[in-house]
Amino acid sequence: MNLRLNSEFGTLKAVLMHRPGREIDRLTPYNISEYLFEDMPYLEIMQREHDEFRSLIKGATGATVYRLLDLLIESLIDDNLLISAFQIALKPHKLEHLAEDIIGRFSTLECANALIGGVKVRELQRKLRHKSLDKLGEHAFVITPSPNSYFMRDPAAVVQTGVISCQMKNTIRHRESFIMRMIFENHPLFKENFNLIYPKDTIEEALTEKHADIEGGDVIVLSAKALAIGNSERTDPEAILEVAKEVLKSGEVERVYEVLLPKKRNFMHLDTVFTIIDENLVVTYPDAMSAVMETRVHRKEGIDEDGNTILSTEVLKESILEVLKKEIDYLEIIHTGDGNPDYASREQWFDGANVFAIGPRRVISYNRNRHTNRALREAGVEVNVIPSSELSRGLGGPRCMTMALDRQDF
């Protein structure tokens, strides 16, 4: 597995996904905001929709679809990794000392499910009685669930020179990043070609030291020479600078664009504003594109005596749309809602601009975004639709649910 990407639209060869599981059923009216949801999906229907999504990718492209749970199980065969993962998951309640007792009573599958789906005191007490658990109510979580795990785009980003191990803004999502980095560093499929771009420390240090935040939804590969990163409510400028220094160091990438997004929920990540679906074609949310009036472009100026990249930064007082026109020849633009402001705002809420490119001018989109899909088809795009009544409740689209690992070079 090469773990390098030079485009967002080259024919898909490998992708990572997570089928929603019991972590979704952990959501209640009282905790949904804590877990960054605004509604409670119906898990059974959600799984059917996700299964159709995965089958469509395989059928349309022949790409290998890796499942997060499978990769996690295969990684946790290493006892040292298994103990470390549980110690980290149990740390918030200061229950690390129970790690070996728990994994001694759980199968590897149960351990993997626990790290994603969480474990409550009453569930653990069926297999383990310990006085440390008595101080917690029976319905308290010993290990918190990760219901955002089906948004595979965020915990890591594969770009031109390697992998960004994302540092999530919200604490409730930190374990997602840890799981992905553990898999990339240790699974036989990936470890030989895993080049870590950020953060430049060990996995233990990344968990104990505060790093500037960056999430994969803010990272878009413009071309082999250019990378765009959103400065958003979820990604900090300090992280963008650190990533830029590493990505630009070898000279393969020449420009890193820092796109200043409004700190609003519907502009959460850069890929809610636009996605690239061919070398000269983007789909955008027009209100957001016009709202972004400053972009910074970072370039390599040199290397200092310690081997660190020296950056030069130019501030562009123009919209991201104008930046894209300079970066992409003969840019063609498709607006969400087919340009109708009412439909655009409605379909943007359900990620009309967040389509997943499976090849040049071939995308997967939510069926509910009818006007956007029609505009795409009129532009000659092959639009494959998936059902979305439940998947869309987490406010993420097809691109959000996929981590592209390998594409045909374009």
Side-chain angles (χ1 to χ4, degrees), residues 204-219:
E204 291 79 12
E205 290 169 340
L207 286 163
T208 56
E209 298 178 13
K210 175 60 180 172
H211 292 276
D213 299 314
I214 185 169
E215 298 193 357
D218 275 317
V219 181

Side-chain angles (χ1 to χ4, degrees), residues 81-125:
L81 286 179
L82 182 57
I83 291 172
S84 175
F86 267 77
Q87 288 174 335
I88 289 165
L90 292 164
K91 192 171 183 179
H93 284 307
K94 297 181 171 58
L95 296 173
E96 303 98 306
H97 58 284
L98 295 181
E100 293 194 39
D101 287 338
I102 292 173
I103 64 177
R105 291 165 171 80
F106 279 44
S107 69
T108 307
L109 172 60
E110 288 176 307
C111 287
N113 278 324
L115 290 173
I116 298 173
V119 178
K120 287 190 172 186
V121 170
R122 61 181 173 82
E123 296 164 348
L124 183 55
Q125 286 178 329

Side-chain angles (χ1 to χ4, degrees), residues 360-402:
R361 295 190 181 235
R362 302 180 69 205
V363 303
I364 297 176
S365 176
Y366 280 153
N367 58 357
R368 69 193 308 147
N369 294 323
R370 296 184 301 112
H371 300 88
T372 304
N373 294 340
R374 184 180 67 234
L376 286 163
R377 289 189 177 107
E378 288 175 352
V381 177
E382 176 191 314
V383 181
N384 303 274
V385 297
I386 56 171
S388 55
S389 66
E390 302 304 312
L391 287 175
S392 64
R393 291 181 189 270
L395 298 185
R399 186 180 192 271
C400 291
M401 292 186 287
T402 50

Side-chain angles (χ1 to χ4, degrees), residues 61-327:
T61 66
T64 302
V65 180
Y66 294 102
R67 293 179 60 174
L68 177 67
L69 186 62
D70 293 340
L71 296 178
L72 180 57
I73 291 169
E74 291 159 4
S75 299
L76 293 178
I77 292 173
D78 184 320
D79 288 339
N80 291 327
L81 286 179
L82 182 57
I83 291 172
S84 175
F86 267 77
Q87 288 174 335
I88 289 165
L90 292 164
K91 192 171 183 179
H93 284 307
K94 297 181 171 58
L95 296 173
E96 303 98 306
H97 58 284
L98 295 181
E100 293 194 39
D101 287 338
I102 292 173
I103 64 177
R105 291 165 171 80
F106 279 44
S107 69
T108 307
L109 172 60
E110 288 176 307
C111 287
N113 278 324
L115 290 173
I116 298 173
V119 178
K120 287 190 172 186
V121 170
R122 61 181 173 82
E123 296 164 348
L124 183 55
Q125 286 178 329
R126 294 171 189 163
K127 297 193 175 190
L128 175 67
R129 306 294 302 190
H130 197 285
K131 62 182 180 181
S132 300
L133 301 173
D134 295 340
K135 62 183 178 181
L136 302 172
E138 65 172 353
H139 295 290
F141 283 110
V142 178
I143 297 176
T144 54
S146 298
N148 291 279
S149 291
Y150 79 102
F151 295 131
M152 286 302 313
R153 182 64 56 165
D154 293 331
V158 182
V159 298
Q160 298 96 328
T161 61
V163 179
I164 301 165
S165 178
C166 296
Q167 307 297 292
M168 310 285 245
K169 175 67 72 175
N170 295 280
T171 303
I172 205 69
R173 300 196 68 184
H174 286 181
R175 197 180 321 121
E176 295 173 53
S177 295
F178 163 72
I179 287 173
M180 274 316 310
R181 181 164 173 186
M182 182 178 68
I183 289 171
F184 278 139
E185 287 189 350
N186 296 281
H187 196 286
L189 277 171
F190 309 112
K191 63 181 182 180
E192 296 302 324
N193 290 314
F194 177 59
N195 178 48
L196 180 65
I197 294 172
Y198 176 84
K200 286 293 190 181
D201 54 13
T202 67
I203 194 167
E204 291 79 12
E205 290 169 340
L207 286 163
T208 56
E209 298 178 13
K210 175 60 180 172
H211 292 276
D213 299 314
I214 185 169
E215 298 193 357
D218 275 317
V219 181
I220 295 180
V221 175
L222 298 182
S223 68
K225 299 292 186 182
L227 182 68
I229 307 177
N231 177 338
S232 69
E233 68 170 12
R234 301 281 181 92
T235 293
D236 299 328
E238 296 84 2
I240 297 173
L241 289 176
E242 291 303 311
V243 169
K245 289 176 184 178
E246 293 301 320
V247 169
L248 295 167
K249 180 178 287 187
S250 68
E252 298 172 58
V253 179
E254 298 174 356
R255 299 169 297 283
V256 174
Y257 292 96
E258 178 182 349
V259 183
L260 276 66
L261 295 173
K263 303 298 192 285
K264 296 180 180 179
R265 171 74 165 163
N266 58 334
F267 302 150
M268 183 195 309
H269 289 136
L270 187 59
D271 67 3
T272 65
V273 174
F274 78 95
T275 51
I276 302 175
I277 57 177
D278 199 359
E279 59 186 313
N280 62 347
L281 182 62
V282 298
V283 55
T284 73
Y285 176 41
D287 284 1
M289 295 297 275
S290 59
V292 178
M293 292 306 296
E294 182 177 321
T295 301
R296 300 165 187 160
V297 56
H298 305 292
R299 296 182 175 89
K300 174 184 171 183
E301 189 170 276
I303 302 291
D304 67 19
E305 57 186 17
D306 296 320
N308 299 311
T309 307
I310 302 170
L311 297 179
S312 66
T313 300
E314 180 184 1
V315 178
L316 307 174
K317 292 291 186 179
E318 55 193 16
S319 72
I320 181 59
L321 192 57
E322 294 304 314
V323 172
L324 289 174
K325 287 178 180 177
K326 293 177 181 179
E327 192 65 39

